[in-house]
Amino acid sequence: MSNEATPPTAATDNYDVMIVGLGPVGKLLAIQLGRAGHRVLIADRKTEGYPLPRAVTHDFEFARILQSIGLAPDTIPEITEPYDDMYVWRNAERQSLVEVDWSGIGSSGWYNTYFFSQPALEDRMEAVLLALPTVTVLRGWSAEVIADDDVVSTRLSNLATADELIVKSRYLVGADGANSTVRRWAGIDWHDMGFFYDWLVVDVIPDPSLEFPHVAIQTCDIARPATMVPGGPGRRRWEFMRLPHETIESLNKTERAWELLEPFGIRPDNSELERHSVYTFQAGWATSWRQGHVLLAGDAAHLMPPFAGQGLGAGLRDVMNLFWKLGAVLDGRAAESVLDTYETERLTHIREFIDFSISLGRVICITDPAEAAERDERMIAELAKGHAPPAPPAPLLGPGLHLSDGGQLSPQATIHFDGSAARFDDLYSGAVLMMAQAELYTLLSPEAAAAIRDRGITVVALSGEHPAVITIDEVDGTYAAWLDQLNAEGVLIRPDFYTFGAATGVETSAMILAFSDQLGVSTLEARA
């Protein structure tokens, strides 16, 4: 923890980015910026990381994001495990209402669904973070923004010694959770969807001799709406909704948790109760994600009910959208105005997922017998007719830094490399121009070729040869099929894995120049 030992001083108080909040969102942003060589200070009021589980599930894009920082799921099997099964919603009589297929491999080359231990994952993320020489980590320090002029001035206060420091940074990111002090300082309002329910969340480490079906189940029972899901290797999670006649205090007791677990065969003599806590599930978002040089990410910017398992994943998507734009601005390769696209691109998907999560919550959070009977009859009939359950929103960007045919998550394929197989992202990162044939590079205009160099774009092709192009050999034809689907010979992939646009050979130059134009006049161009 060497980079945590020396706090900032008057001689070292200037940073590229200050991050408030050492949760997974703040850590990921610090890692991505630190790996790019930017000076980052990340601070948190707590002296230690939160030791108990919160999020327990993630999807294939989340897995791809972890891969980008060296924590791919197959490298940490003791922390995360794939879920290759159905997500079942059933009523009190154990009749299926909805069966969602969470099995299989997603387009990013990872399983569609994983269950994991968040504290263990955060420990691994912190180890990556502490190894970065340009990142300073401060625990036990509060942060108060005191000015946002050309740079952001922040007062840091050591909560143990009362020492104070003033640090300056070009940008500050509030990743400090639902009760964000950064959001309050910035005076940013909150759009509240008015969807509130209290649920007791219980995490258990069962004795290995106990056997449970490895399935994720939502029980839509008016007597007690409940959830049972894996909690990562060796763990299980139950969630129990607070009923109208109960108080939070009466529900949030250890003995009450054991009482609710007993019907599942979970008892003090065969399991460890890792934690129990009542949470109020909420839905809403900040009305602005950027004010001057101050930005928000994760729960500071949005909250959603947990029924789609996307709350933490949404925060990590925020980071991937933000880090490369911040990095481009800091490096002088993009105008500051590109940061305005962060909110517009991400909020569209966030609002769709909030609506989706609320719609799922309205299925399970029912305690009225007549309403539940109507729900059961309707949903059982729909299932019998083979009606597909509502699909979660596709990972798409809202308006922003892409063309009209862009804004989609690119696939990740396995390619041959040095006599073995490797995932594409492990070999090529940043902005990538993927072409069907290397010879298409000769069609690029001199201006487009110059933009490729100036913007740091890597050019790869599926076949052919050209000295400026890397020819890749894919294992199963994923990329060739993708280009055919797009009816394109070239596609420009942004550093966050989303596409900027697609083009035929003769249109590729215009696509590259459009990317360069949307990044804006950089300081490098201004100096030329």
Side-chain angles (χ1 to χ4, degrees):
M1 300 176 67
S2 58
N3 62 345
E4 191 176 21
T6 306
T9 66
T12 60
D13 64 352
N14 294 307
Y15 294 85
D16 294 321
V17 180
M18 164 87 187
I19 302 170
V20 181
L22 256 167
V25 171
K27 286 175 182 173
L28 178 65
L29 181 58
I31 290 170
Q32 295 287 23
L33 291 171
R35 282 157 56 103
H38 300 295
R39 295 198 66 231
V40 178
L41 173 62
I42 180 168
D44 198 293
R45 296 176 59 89
K46 299 181 181 66
T47 57
E48 296 180 350
Y50 191 69
L52 300 176
R54 288 170 292 183
V56 293
T57 186
H58 69 72
D59 66 7
F60 60 88
E61 186 179 358
F62 191 120
R64 188 176 184 178
I65 293 169
L66 292 181
Q67 176 195 347
S68 74
I69 59 170
L71 295 176
D74 59 3
T75 68
I76 48 174
E78 72 282 8
I79 293 172
T80 184
E81 58 184 347
Y83 181 76
D84 199 20
D85 212 323
M86 305 296 289
Y87 179 32
V88 181
W89 294 60
R90 65 189 187 188
N91 64 9
E93 286 72 40
R94 297 180 178 271
Q95 296 171 292
S96 290
L97 305 179
V98 177
E99 295 180 356
V100 182
D101 189 356
W102 270 7
S103 66
I105 305 294
S107 63
S108 287
W110 296 100
Y111 278 94
N112 282 309
T113 308
Y114 291 83
F115 285 93
F116 72 106
S117 168
Q118 182 175 337
L121 177 60
E122 287 203 52
D123 287 345
R124 292 295 187 92
M125 294 178 73
E126 189 142 348
V128 174
L129 183 65
L130 293 172
L132 296 170
T134 62
V135 178
T136 299
V137 179
L138 293 181
R139 287 195 175 275
W141 292 72
S142 66
E144 177 188 7
V145 181
I146 56 177
D148 178 11
D149 300 314
D150 291 334
V151 295
V152 183
S153 298
T154 306
R155 178 184 291 113
L156 295 173
S157 302
N158 188 305
L159 299 178
T161 65
D163 291 339
E164 289 192 349
L165 300 166
I166 304 296
V167 298
K168 298 182 184 297
S169 58
R170 288 184 61 183
Y171 295 94
L172 182 141
V173 179
D176 50 342
N179 299 313
S180 170
T181 58
V182 173
R183 188 180 69 232
R184 290 200 299 271
W185 172 86
I188 296 173
D189 292 331
W190 186 259
H191 179 86
D192 194 333
M193 294 291 287
F195 188 84
F196 298 95
Y197 285 94
D198 300 320
W199 283 67
L200 173 68
V201 178
V202 183
D203 289 290
V204 174
I205 302 177
D207 187 275
S209 63
L210 296 177
E211 294 185 3
F212 291 95
H214 192 66
V215 293
I217 297 173
Q218 297 281 4
T219 302
C220 306
D221 182 354
I222 62 171
R224 176 75 67 182
T227 301
M228 182 179 72
V229 297
R235 288 176 164 84
R236 299 290 297 181
R237 166 169 288 184
W238 280 264
E239 298 172 359
F240 304 98
M241 194 179 91
R242 182 180 67 83
L243 301 177
H245 67 274
E246 292 178 310
T247 64
I248 291 177
E249 292 72 23
S250 66
L251 185 60
N252 195 22
K253 293 181 180 294
T254 301
E255 57 269 26
R256 187 62 179 134
W258 284 120
E259 290 173 2
L260 293 168
L261 291 170
E262 200 279 333
F264 301 92
I266 298 294
R267 304 184 306 273
D269 64 346
N270 63 22
S271 301
E272 176 188 341
L273 186 63
E274 194 169 23
R275 72 93 180 254
H276 64 86
S277 184
V278 174
Y279 285 86
T280 301
F281 298 155
Q282 303 179 49
W285 59 85
T287 57
S288 175
W289 293 17
R290 179 191 175 202
Q291 180 169 293
H293 296 84
V294 176
L295 302 106
L296 304 176
D299 286 356
H302 47 77
L303 292 171
M304 67 182 70
F307 305 109
Q310 286 290 331
L312 177 55
L316 298 197
R317 285 187 178 97
D318 294 345
V319 170
M320 296 302 289
N321 190 291
L322 180 59
F323 94 87
W324 74 272
K325 295 175 182 176
L326 267 176
V329 174
L330 292 168
D331 287 340
R333 293 184 178 275
E336 189 175 65
S337 58
V338 303
L339 299 178
D340 293 331
T341 67
Y342 164 54
E343 177 186 342
T344 60
E345 289 186 348
R346 287 291 302 128
L347 186 56
T348 297
H349 193 237
I350 287 293
R351 292 179 64 170
E352 290 176 348
F353 245 119
I354 288 175
D355 289 343
F356 181 67
S357 299
I358 288 176
S359 71
L360 295 178
R362 285 178 174 149
V363 171
I364 191 171
C365 297
I366 292 177
T367 57
D368 178 77
E371 188 178 357
E374 185 279 329
R375 172 201 64 199
D376 292 358
E377 181 180 1
R378 170 175 47 82
M379 297 186 73
I380 290 171
E382 290 175 351
L383 186 63
K385 293 177 181 178
H387 291 176
L396 300 173
L397 300 178
L401 206 161
H402 57 84
L403 300 178
S404 59
D405 58 357
Q408 305 172 13
L409 182 65
S410 66
Q412 179 184 204
T414 300
I415 62 177
H416 295 290
F417 183 77
D418 280 351
S420 60
R423 290 185 171 90
F424 182 87
D425 295 350
D426 289 336
L427 301 175
Y428 308 107
S429 59
V432 175
L433 172 63
M434 182 174 290
M435 309 180 80
Q437 297 175 334
E439 292 81 3
L440 292 171
Y441 195 89
T442 61
L443 300 179
L444 297 181
S445 67
E447 294 80 8
I452 286 174
R453 293 190 298 270
D454 292 344
R455 304 299 184 177
I457 300 171
T458 300
V459 185
V460 302
L462 305 185
S463 64
E465 293 184 5
H466 188 282
V469 179
I470 301 167
T471 301
I472 62 174
D473 179 15
E474 58 175 329
V475 171
D476 59 6
T478 295
Y479 288 134
W482 182 47
L483 289 177
D484 285 344
Q485 180 185 0
L486 295 175
N487 193 28
E489 295 174 294
V491 59
L492 185 55
I493 305 169
R494 309 184 331 176
D496 57 358
F497 314 133
Y498 283 78
T499 61
F500 173 78
T504 63
V506 295
E507 297 170 338
T508 305
S509 290
M511 177 178 67
I512 294 167
L513 293 176
F515 178 66
S516 185
D517 289 345
Q518 288 193 28
L519 285 175
V521 177
S522 68
T523 56
L524 295 178
E525 292 171 324
R527 292 173 190 152

